[in-house]
């Protein structure tokens, strides 16, 4: 299979060239983020290794997080690698590879916040990144919450710092990166979810999936 795909990704259901296109949202450190105008991170390293195995070059396309699945399912991108949780809704549109990381959603608050755990989120304003599992969890599971959706995770954290919202719900690893860069914030100990990340691939691209 690797040899066939190295000759042409068309054999794997993708573009007829030597480029493997990765759709992502480069606002999610340490998985994908900008460093000196270049998109880097864990997911980029994984995708680069896959491209090298296939004898191809990697092209990274930065887009809104909720555009990643449509890009893959429509064939505009070959793979979606974006710290993406495997869930039933997404499985309706794409297939997922074996999982490569465990993750969880956590709560970020100000250090002097009265919010001490998930139960305290009731009725509060919660910042989330649009289309993420943090968005879904907050919208579906927190009673009377006012969910504020942001296109980028750091925008939600910035709003928390500025006192515009009460808390942020986001991936645990990304939360650590954001809190490290911002003063006066903390991550609560109790996780909200347990999740697994994987690579999204179009349903008709079975060879590349294998």
């Amino acid at each position: 299979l690797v040899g066939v795909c190295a000759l042409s990704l068309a054999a794997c259901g993708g573009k007829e060239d030597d480029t493997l296109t990765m759709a992502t949202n480069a606002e999610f450190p340490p998985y994908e983020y900008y460093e000196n105008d270049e998109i880097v991170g864990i997911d980029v390293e994984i995708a680069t290794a896959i491209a090298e195995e296939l004898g191809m070059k990697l092209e990274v396309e930065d887009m809104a997080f909720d555009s990643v699945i449509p890009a893959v399912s429509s064939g505009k991108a070959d793979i979606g690698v974006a710290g993406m949780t495997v869930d039933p809704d997404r499985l309706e549109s794409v297939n997922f590879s074996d999982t490569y990381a465990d993750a969880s959603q956590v709560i970020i608050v100000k250090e002097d916040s009265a919010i001490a755990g998930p139960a305290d989120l009731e009725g509060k304003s919660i910042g989330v990144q649009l289309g993420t599992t943090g968005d879904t969890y907050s919208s579906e599971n927190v009673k009377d919450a006012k969910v504020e959706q942001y296109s980028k995770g750091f925008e939600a954290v910035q709003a928390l710092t500025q006192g515009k919202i009460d808390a942020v719900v986001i991936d645990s690893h990304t939360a650590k990166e954001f809190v490290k860069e911002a003063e006066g914030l903390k991550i609560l100990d109790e996780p909200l979810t347990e999740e697994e990340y994987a690579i999204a691939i179009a349903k008709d691209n079975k060879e590349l999936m294998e």
Side-chain angles (χ1 to χ4, degrees), residues 35-154:
E35 187 174 89
N36 299 325
D37 297 323
E38 180 184 1
I39 301 174
V40 299
I42 295 168
D43 284 347
V44 180
E45 292 176 12
I46 291 172
T48 298
I50 293 170
E52 289 176 353
E53 182 74 12
L54 296 174
M56 309 180 77
K57 62 182 180 182
L58 180 69
E59 179 180 301
V60 183
E61 297 283 351
D62 186 16
M63 60 188 68
F65 183 82
D66 58 353
S67 296
V68 172
I69 292 290
V72 173
S73 61
S74 67
K76 292 180 179 178
D78 300 307
I79 55 177
V81 200
M84 186 170 290
T85 302
V86 179
D87 69 28
D89 289 340
R90 291 170 181 159
L91 282 167
E92 292 181 4
S93 302
V94 294
N95 288 328
F96 279 101
S97 69
D98 292 340
T99 59
Y100 64 86
D102 295 325
S104 60
Q105 296 296 309
V106 296
I107 304 167
I108 305 175
V109 294
K110 286 189 172 183
E111 289 181 345
D112 60 355
S113 174
I115 298 173
D120 297 326
L121 289 177
E122 182 176 333
K124 298 295 193 296
S125 56
I126 304 171
V128 299
Q129 184 176 5
L130 177 66
T132 63
T133 47
D135 183 4
T136 303
Y137 178 91
S138 301
S139 300
E140 295 181 356
N141 295 284
V142 183
K143 185 178 179 181
D144 299 326
K146 182 181 179 183
V147 179
E148 300 287 351
Q149 297 171 316
Y150 298 86
S151 60
K152 302 175 182 179
F154 88 87

